[in-house]
Amino acid sequence: MRDYLRPDSGGRSTVFGTRGAVACEHPQAALAGIRVLDAGGNAADACVAMAAAMAVLGPMKTGMGGDAFLLYYDAATGGIRGLNGSGGAPRGLTLKNLRERGLSGMPERGGLTVTVPGAVRMWEDANRELGRLPLADLLEPAYGFAEEGFPVSEVVARYWKGAEGLLRKNAAAARTFLPGGRAPEPGELFRQPDLARTIAAVMEEGAGAFYGGEVGRSIARSVREAGGYLSEEDLAAHRSLWVEPVSTSYRGITVHEIPPPGQGVAALEMLNILEGFDLSDLDALSADRIHLEAEAKKLAFDDLHAKVGDPDFGEIPTAELLSKEYAAKLRSRISLFRAAEAAEPALGSDTTYLCAVDAEGNGCSFINSLYMGFGSGVVAEGTGVCLQNRGSSFRIIEGHPNAPEPGKRPLHTIIPGLATEENGALWAVFGVMGGPMQPQGHAQLLVNLIDYGMNPQQAVDHPRHFHHEGTLLLEGRVPEREADRLRDMGHRVEVGADYAIPTGGAQLIRVKEDGVRACGSDPRKDGCALAQ
């Protein structure tokens, strides 16, 4: 047996169950999900409950002020549905206005970067259309964490500490997230009464309490005071979108992703390119494998940043990008021995991903994000809501598919993944947090599972690599001789920690042929998988 099939140093085992299962990056959120399943909820209910809990437990990663997406597998019909819970640009955000401000590129933070937060509406729509339990029941754990407090976990505390400078720039953010003038330490109890009141309003009145009333007015006013354009009308007009997932086959497994403006097309394009190589003949930690995945990523991301945007504002060549014929042309450009040059814009990296499979076999893959850590850095006064900076990914280039326009959804990094077998049965729900790492992580995770036959926890633990802005980051567990070989091929290599934060955090539930749920949860995060 090859070395990579031995348990990695993360020390975790695959979690098995025969009924429901959840995987999430925080144990308390995972517990909330499994309790929803115990109470008769389904996979969608469990994911909404976990996402809401994470909005409190991981406030720099996700929140009510962010966006969300899901993929849902219906066991009764075999159908797969997608829900786009991202918000559009404010009506006042135009190229003309940005240029009048002297901008040639979008700022990373501040009011100008705030787009309509879509998560809360999406939670309600997912629950109403797919779920079984009342929305208020699903938000109860999140309310409890906000009102009564929770001990801050270690990874979250590390992220929080790194964001102190950003939070001090906004008075409401500093009051909300820096009690005593500093970030909480690991294990320190943190309460958020303002957010508890906001959650309670949604529990009582539904999503309308967030997109209107006092909460909506505070959000719009706080954004305008921070130099942005978001209005009460923008909030009131927001709706989620039910979408048809896009997919491709990889060695007999069909992989499904959310369509543009999400970057799921890049993950599928990478898999199409890699399918033409005999990866299983290469060692899973070899420079040869890593090189091929890095080169496939460069080609897919060239297309992503040049051709993908909101399809409601222009035609996106999705079918061409996902065709096997197109992949063959791209594959022919890859040298087996030399790295190609690549350039790309920087993208944010803070997100929460979670997934669930219920006793009936329904599967939900769910992702929620503020984009960069603590998003825009703007907190709506009196609400506890930190607002996302998703608008920072717009390109101030006339005619670009990702140029800002009123109501336009920006290119989105967050992507839930779902895979089915040839007969249509659910094979896995999965995701990898971390901005531009996400498509790379999807491809690497699936190659681990399919080409190398790893079990879910091995596939999640296995050393990952991250190509971004011209640098190939390797986790420290990649052998030094393979790092040197990659340098010889022309890659600019950086070796990080054994479990490096930029390589993202994965959660995975694999449904085996006998119906057993096999779950993996990333040791790079605080969370766990639980199963009934």
Side-chain angles (χ1 to χ4, degrees), residues 16 40 47 79 94 112 153 210 237 261 263 282 296 301 307 317 362 377 436 458 467 472 475 529 531:
F16 296 103
C47 284
T94 65
L112 269 181
S153 61
F210 182 87
Q263 62 174 343
L282 306 174
F301 272 58
K307 301 175 182 178
N362 304 302
Q458 290 167 337
H467 186 275
L472 180 60
E475 291 196 300

Side-chain angles (χ1 to χ4, degrees), residues 328-415:
K329 293 179 182 177
L330 293 179
R331 191 182 308 119
S332 69
R333 293 166 51 188
I334 294 177
S335 165
L336 299 179
F337 311 106
R338 292 299 302 170
E341 294 294 327
E344 61 193 83
L347 295 173
S349 60
D350 279 328
T351 296
T352 193
Y353 173 81
L354 44 98
C355 53
V357 174
D358 58 36
E360 290 76 24
N362 304 302
C364 189
S365 184
F366 197 112
I367 198 160
N368 210 132
S369 178
L370 289 176
Y371 198 32
M372 299 175 188
F374 285 108
S376 63
V378 177
V379 169
E381 187 68 53
T383 70
V385 174
C386 187
L387 297 160
Q388 65 185 1
N389 63 326
R390 190 58 60 175
S392 64
S393 70
F394 279 127
R395 307 288 297 278
I396 304 183
I397 301 173
E398 191 77 47
H400 193 280
N402 195 34
E405 296 182 53
K408 188 176 189 177
R409 290 170 163 86
L411 175 65
H412 240 282
T413 57
I414 60 175
I415 51 174

Side-chain angles (χ1 to χ4, degrees), residues 285-510:
L285 279 176
S286 69
D288 301 296
R289 175 205 170 170
I290 295 170
H291 169 73
L292 291 176
E293 290 178 342
E295 295 307 293
K297 176 265 178 184
K298 294 174 186 177
L299 294 168
F301 272 58
D302 283 347
D303 284 337
L304 176 69
H305 293 296
K307 301 175 182 178
V308 175
D310 188 341
D312 287 344
F313 287 77
E315 188 171 348
I316 309 300
T318 304
E320 176 191 350
L321 295 178
L322 299 185
S323 75
K324 298 291 188 180
E325 295 77 15
Y326 182 64
K329 293 179 182 177
L330 293 179
R331 191 182 308 119
S332 69
R333 293 166 51 188
I334 294 177
S335 165
L336 299 179
F337 311 106
R338 292 299 302 170
E341 294 294 327
E344 61 193 83
L347 295 173
S349 60
D350 279 328
T351 296
T352 193
Y353 173 81
L354 44 98
C355 53
V357 174
D358 58 36
E360 290 76 24
N362 304 302
C364 189
S365 184
F366 197 112
I367 198 160
N368 210 132
S369 178
L370 289 176
Y371 198 32
M372 299 175 188
F374 285 108
S376 63
V378 177
V379 169
E381 187 68 53
T383 70
V385 174
C386 187
L387 297 160
Q388 65 185 1
N389 63 326
R390 190 58 60 175
S392 64
S393 70
F394 279 127
R395 307 288 297 278
I396 304 183
I397 301 173
E398 191 77 47
H400 193 280
N402 195 34
E405 296 182 53
K408 188 176 189 177
R409 290 170 163 86
L411 175 65
H412 240 282
T413 57
I414 60 175
I415 51 174
L418 187 148
T420 53
E421 300 184 50
E422 286 183 298
N423 63 5
L426 180 63
W427 192 78
V429 285
F430 63 93
V432 180
M433 299 160 255
M437 180 62 205
Q438 293 186 47
Q440 301 176 68
H442 282 206
Q444 291 174 37
L445 197 64
L446 290 167
V447 167
N448 288 342
L449 292 166
I450 298 170
D451 292 272
Y452 295 107
M454 297 183 195
N455 69 41
Q457 192 60 50
Q458 290 167 337
V460 167
D461 282 352
H462 188 77
R464 291 197 288 266
H465 51 273
F466 174 47
H467 186 275
H468 187 51
E469 297 187 282
T471 296
L472 180 60
L473 173 67
L474 308 178
E475 291 196 300
R477 292 170 293 146
V478 174
E480 185 177 350
R481 65 181 180 276
E482 304 302 329
D484 288 339
R485 288 188 60 216
L486 287 162
R487 292 187 181 98
D488 291 341
M489 291 177 177
H491 293 281
R492 191 169 74 203
V493 173
E494 177 183 331
V495 178
D498 282 358
Y499 292 86
I501 289 173
T503 63
Q507 309 292 334
L508 164 68
I509 303 173
R510 167 89 166 82

